[in-house]
Amino acid sequence: MPRTGRMRHRRYPSQSRPLRGEAALWALRLWVAARRRDHGDWLLQELQSETLTDLGVDLSGDTAMEPLDDVLDPERIDEALEEQLERMNRQPIQPQRQRFTTNIRALGDRLGLIECEQQILLFLVLHEADADFSSMVAIARKAVTMSATEAMAIALDFPEREVRAALSSDGTLMRSGLIQFDVRMGMDSANMEYELLRGIGLELDAPEASPDAIFRTYFRPSPAPRDGLLPMTHLEEERARVAALLRQASRQGAQGINILIHGEPGTGKTQFARSAAAEAGLTAVEVNFEDERGDPLEPRSRQRAYQLCQHVVARTPGHAVVFDEIEDVFDARNGWMRVGNRGDRPGGKAWTNQMLEENATPAIWITNHVGQIDRAYLRRFDYTLELRQPPRSVRRALLEHTCGDLPVSDTWIDRASQIEGLTPAEVESAFRVARLLYAEDQQFALESFLDEQLARQAHLQNRTPPVRRRGSDLLRYDLSMLNTDQPLEPVVRHLAAAGEGSLLLHGVPGTGKTALATHLAEQADRPLIQRPASALLSPYVGMTEKNIARLFRSAEDEGAVVLIDEADSLVGSRETARARWEVSQTNEILVQIEQFHGVVICATNFLGAIDTAALRRFDFKLELRALDPAQREMMFIDLLQTLGADREEVSVEHRERLSRLDDLTPGDFATVARRYHVLGRHQDVDPATILEALASERAMKPEAGKRRAGFA
């Protein structure tokens, strides 16, 4: 007795069309193969009235068949499917979508895809684009538990070993990122176990799509470098070194050359990479953040876009690949790339390590957050470079260059260049907005606005806005105004040039210890990290030592000069210590000073409180004293000019009175300058008024040794 089945009906009339071209042939091959193995007639249970029509089988005129609402003859169905397959195999197949066929052929020629690989790509593209085709494939696969590779081998009429080879991790489809294995997709869904590169189907369906047009969705030629606009002289040596590495890697065909550039946002990492590639004479290409329609590329797609980029440019030497914002691609929790699964599958650690070791084209990877990258990957980068905040000389050059024709004073530029952490991006942004506002209103308070903008940027970047000593920019700074116990200029010159050494500054408050440290950092063109002892001391055992170590570690990372004020609180005499932790913190700071590869300055008002053994650890020790008579007169004249008083009004009596103020310091003059800088707008000042103010400051000085703390 023949086997029977009942035809299923769709609840609503079908809006689908019969499959055409390759899709019809491939689906028919799968159904015939599945029926040959379908001993439980599972496919017949899924058969609907339109299914045979979709496969190109027409039984409407077959008198041997009962109406579709009644029982079907499985043998007759099988016979009809076999006959239709035989007819289609004899006829030339017209492509279902000519665009897919033409564009895949062009793409395959560009990427070096063999015929089997091109057919697999076409199969997966049609599978993604045509819901009826993907449904027919899924039903056939599920009926007889057919793997994706077996299904494609049957449909495409290739040996399964060739299909498996084409889909292996070493195959071009996988290595180029066009296809990726994904275990989340299986026979129970309409999807295959292989996932196409996001958007590739739409690109292949575009009219007259060229391979270059398709590639632009995933990577593009890098814009020309802009270092002609922004002077970054502190990076010239590093840029030349990176350019040489790129150039030789390209010439010699060196494999697996990867350069990691990291640093805070806005420090010029991308521009550095572009300029280094240009200096090397290479054409830089960059992995996109978004596709041609402006939709952002997710991390998985960006990583696969990098693969495609590497595969394409490897076929035409003379390129460098720039992969920016890689923190989006690396998983902060697990360290590996956010693609696929663990192990040696795409996205796993072994697979990612292999990708870092086998790239044919040298690559520059850029990140703001190097901590998100696993150490197993970091050690595979051949060259790493941290771009730090530019030094003051470069900040000044950036400000001068960027302000252009805007009426910004040299005084403002000098003051703004002192802002630690100021980046090229922040400078450009502030001046771009200022230029637009100034074009609208030339009475615009330009410098005040720029101060406000830079302060806002500091807040957004979670930086502490610069805290300047009030009035520090009112008086001219001159080393000759400092009264020291030994020549000062040779010490400053040596420490600034060497970039290493230790200096102990001691003396009464106000003699200019902090200002000298600031000046030395400026001469060395390094940032200054200033910490009072009170910011390092902790009531918890061991925390002071940790704070000290953290300070020196930060200074080492930033290449900064360290200034520790009130140092006697940290480096006190161990002979008079009353607790073990006092000895421990003294030992810690002495160890840090000896091991520090930079300039460290300690300042104190109480030299006698410093540990005697610690004094030997300082390369230089300078005492700053009150001003001598000649220095007092020079500062007095400068102060009068600063406040707008007439220096010609200074009489002999004024000079005699000034000479009797024998313990004035630069700090006293700065205090008076601050006071009358504001009051002078409402009242006139003259030499007598200024002398009275200086005498008042002198009268307020405590007796020597009475006050332990003070300002330096």
Side-chain angles (χ1 to χ4, degrees):
M1 182 175 178
R3 293 173 294 151
T4 60
R6 182 168 296 278
M7 181 75 70
R8 298 180 63 190
H9 291 276
R10 290 181 174 137
R11 185 175 180 183
Y12 302 104
S14 172
Q15 301 297 319
S16 66
R17 300 172 298 171
L19 296 176
R20 297 178 292 109
E22 309 97 328
L25 175 61
W26 294 341
L28 188 59
R29 285 175 177 170
L30 283 172
W31 272 67
V32 169
R35 279 296 299 148
R36 291 171 182 171
R37 294 158 49 179
D38 183 21
H39 304 299
D41 291 335
W42 191 89
L43 276 177
L44 290 184
Q45 299 175 31
E46 293 295 315
L47 202 61
Q48 297 178 343
S49 57
E50 290 85 355
T51 303
L52 295 177
T53 303
D54 291 345
L55 292 171
V57 176
D58 183 8
L59 296 178
S60 59
D62 192 338
T63 56
M65 296 294 296
E66 300 183 34
L68 292 181
D69 287 334
D70 297 320
V71 176
L72 293 177
D73 181 359
E75 282 85 357
R76 182 66 191 100
I77 295 295
D78 293 342
E79 182 181 346
L81 290 172
E82 297 274 4
E83 290 174 356
Q84 176 62 11
L85 177 58
E86 186 178 349
R87 281 193 297 271
M88 294 195 71
N89 282 329
R90 291 197 304 264
Q91 299 171 358
I93 299 299
Q94 296 298 319
Q96 178 175 350
R97 288 188 68 82
Q98 185 63 50
R99 289 179 186 173
F100 282 152
T101 303
T102 301
N103 293 333
I104 286 176
R105 184 70 61 187
L107 182 66
D109 292 343
R110 184 70 175 273
L111 297 179
L113 298 178
I114 62 175
E115 180 65 23
C116 180
E117 292 169 331
Q118 292 186 28
Q119 290 298 298
I120 290 173
L121 181 58
L122 178 58
F123 180 95
L124 292 174
V125 168
L126 287 175
H127 189 274
E128 182 183 81
D130 192 324
D132 289 328
F133 175 57
S134 64
S135 176
M136 298 288 281
V137 172
I139 292 172
R141 290 182 60 207
K142 187 175 181 180
V144 293
T145 316
M146 189 183 297
S147 70
T149 51
E150 182 184 5
M152 283 188 277
I154 292 170
L156 301 175
D157 196 23
F158 280 103
E160 187 174 351
R161 66 177 181 278
E162 290 188 25
V163 174
R164 288 186 178 276
L167 291 170
S168 70
S169 59
D170 293 329
T172 303
L173 289 173
M174 286 287 192
R175 293 184 68 84
S176 67
L178 288 173
I179 293 174
Q180 177 184 300
F181 183 76
D182 194 335
V183 295
R184 296 173 301 176
M185 302 177 180
M187 287 178 284
D188 289 337
S189 70
N191 299 305
M192 305 289 281
E193 287 97 333
Y194 295 92
E195 180 186 36
L196 285 169
L197 175 62
R198 189 188 119 177
I200 192 68
L202 292 175
E203 297 301 325
L204 290 169
D205 196 29
E208 300 178 359
S210 67
D212 287 330
I214 293 173
F215 297 152
R216 280 195 296 272
T217 298
Y218 305 102
F219 58 89
R220 67 189 189 283
S222 178
R226 301 173 54 201
D227 27 357
L229 297 178
L230 292 175
M232 301 291 281
T233 54
H234 66 302
L235 299 177
E236 288 180 355
E237 182 178 348
E238 286 286 2
R239 183 176 58 193
R241 188 176 297 146
V242 171
L245 177 59
L246 292 171
R247 184 163 48 247
Q248 290 304 316
S250 179
R251 287 178 181 175
Q252 299 179 27
Q255 195 175 46
I257 299 299
N258 292 281
I259 298 169
L260 176 65
I261 301 176
H262 62 98
E264 295 182 15
T267 49
K269 298 183 292 296
T270 303
Q271 290 301 318
F272 178 91
R274 292 171 179 171
S275 61
E279 188 173 328
L282 303 180
T283 300
V285 290
E286 296 183 12
V287 179
N288 289 350
F289 300 97
E290 58 187 22
D291 59 25
E292 288 288 283
R293 293 171 299 281
D295 298 326
L297 290 175
E298 61 183 4
R300 281 198 313 177
S301 297
R302 291 197 69 220
Q303 184 270 333
R304 293 170 66 184
Y306 169 79
Q307 288 180 261
L308 180 61
C309 179
Q310 275 285 349
H311 190 80
V312 171
V313 300
R315 300 172 67 85
T316 53
H319 287 83
V321 177
V322 177
F323 198 178
D324 205 348
E325 304 288 351
I326 63 171
E327 57 266 25
D328 290 341
V329 176
F330 283 91
D331 191 318
R333 296 165 301 173
N334 300 322
W336 53 72
M337 287 190 166
R338 305 187 197 199
V339 185
N341 303 278
R342 304 187 185 190
D344 57 0
R345 296 198 180 279
K349 283 194 172 184
W351 179 85
T352 304
N353 287 336
Q354 183 182 22
M355 189 183 68
L356 286 170
E357 294 171 350
E358 297 182 359
N359 52 298
T361 301
I364 303 176
W365 303 63
I366 302 174
T367 181
N368 297 331
H369 307 291
V370 72
Q372 290 188 202
I373 303 178
D374 190 281
R375 292 183 180 180
Y377 300 152
L378 290 176
R379 67 183 179 86
R380 283 173 168 78
F381 286 101
D382 302 278
Y383 191 87
T384 60
L385 172 64
E386 180 183 6
L387 292 196
R388 298 170 177 168
Q389 312 294 350
R392 185 183 179 189
S393 61
V394 175
R395 294 198 298 268
R396 183 178 180 85
L398 286 170
L399 290 162
E400 290 175 339
H401 192 278
T402 312
C403 74
D405 56 354
L406 288 175
V408 177
S409 67
D410 287 341
T411 301
W412 183 87
I413 289 178
D414 186 67
R415 187 174 73 243
S417 69
Q418 299 176 31
I419 301 176
E420 298 293 347
L422 187 63
T423 65
E426 292 170 10
V427 172
E428 279 194 291
S429 175
F431 275 104
R432 182 169 58 248
V433 175
R435 187 167 280 107
L436 293 172
L437 294 176
Y438 185 74
E440 176 74 14
D441 178 13
Q442 296 196 356
Q443 301 303 314
F444 176 58
L446 187 59
E447 293 184 0
S448 296
F449 170 77
L450 288 169
D451 283 333
E452 180 182 337
Q453 281 294 98
L454 294 178
R456 289 177 178 177
Q457 283 293 331
H459 177 73
L460 289 175
Q461 297 295 331
N462 202 27
R463 290 198 318 264
T464 303
V467 179
R468 293 182 293 106
R469 300 174 70 200
R470 294 181 301 125
S472 61
D473 54 352
L474 295 177
L475 296 176
R476 176 174 60 93
Y477 188 81
D478 189 338
L479 288 180
S480 65
M481 299 293 187
L482 298 181
N483 186 12
T484 57
D485 61 339
Q486 56 184 289
L488 177 59
E489 291 190 7
V491 175
V492 172
R493 188 164 53 247
H494 170 80
L495 290 174
E500 287 191 18
S502 55
L503 171 63
L504 177 65
L505 300 176
H506 60 97
V508 297
T511 48
K513 296 183 287 294
T514 300
L516 176 57
T518 302
H519 174 77
L520 197 156
E522 291 172 0
Q523 294 302 302
D525 207 12
R526 294 171 179 251
L528 176 69
I529 297 182
Q530 178 181 354
R531 294 289 186 276
S534 57
L536 300 173
L537 291 169
S538 172
Y540 301 105
V541 175
M543 282 305 300
T544 298
E545 291 85 340
K546 289 183 178 180
N547 292 339
I548 293 170
R550 189 180 299 115
L551 166 65
F552 280 89
R553 186 166 56 249
S554 298
E556 190 91 48
D557 291 342
E558 298 178 25
V561 173
V562 175
L563 169 61
I564 300 177
D565 209 349
E566 306 165 4
D568 50 281
S569 298
L570 289 172
V571 200
S573 173
R574 286 173 286 189
E575 295 178 359
T576 60
R578 290 173 295 178
R580 183 176 300 174
W581 56 264
E582 293 179 284
V583 175
S584 176
Q585 70 185 30
T586 298
N587 291 338
E588 177 66 27
I589 197 167
L590 293 179
V591 169
Q592 292 293 339
I593 289 174
E594 286 189 344
Q595 296 179 348
F596 182 56
H597 298 291
V599 177
V600 57
I601 303 170
C602 289
T604 179
N605 299 332
F606 304 98
L607 180 64
I610 300 290
D611 186 86
T612 53
L615 291 175
R616 297 193 298 271
R617 309 294 178 91
F618 290 95
D619 302 321
F620 302 96
K621 293 171 277 291
L622 290 176
E623 179 185 6
L624 279 74
R625 303 163 175 168
L627 298 169
D628 63 27
Q631 292 171 328
R632 288 200 297 273
E633 184 165 345
M634 289 175 62
M635 291 206 75
F636 182 66
I637 297 301
D638 282 350
L639 180 56
L640 291 175
Q641 292 177 332
T642 297
L643 299 178
D646 187 358
R647 61 179 296 177
E648 299 299 327
E649 295 182 4
V650 179
S651 65
V652 175
E653 290 79 7
H654 293 147
R655 285 188 166 86
E656 288 179 353
R657 186 178 182 188
L658 179 64
S659 67
R660 292 193 295 270
L661 302 177
D662 55 7
D663 53 357
L664 288 179
T665 66
D668 297 325
F669 284 86
T671 300
V672 174
R674 291 195 298 269
R675 181 190 311 164
Y676 285 98
H677 179 66
V678 176
L679 295 178
R681 301 174 185 174
H682 308 287
Q683 68 178 56
D684 294 333
V685 293
D686 54 35
T689 303
I690 300 302
L691 277 172
E692 191 64 36
L694 289 171
S696 176
E697 290 299 316
R698 176 179 179 273
M700 294 181 64
K701 290 181 181 292
E703 294 179 6
K706 288 284 183 140
R707 185 177 62 180
R708 178 170 177 78
F711 69 92

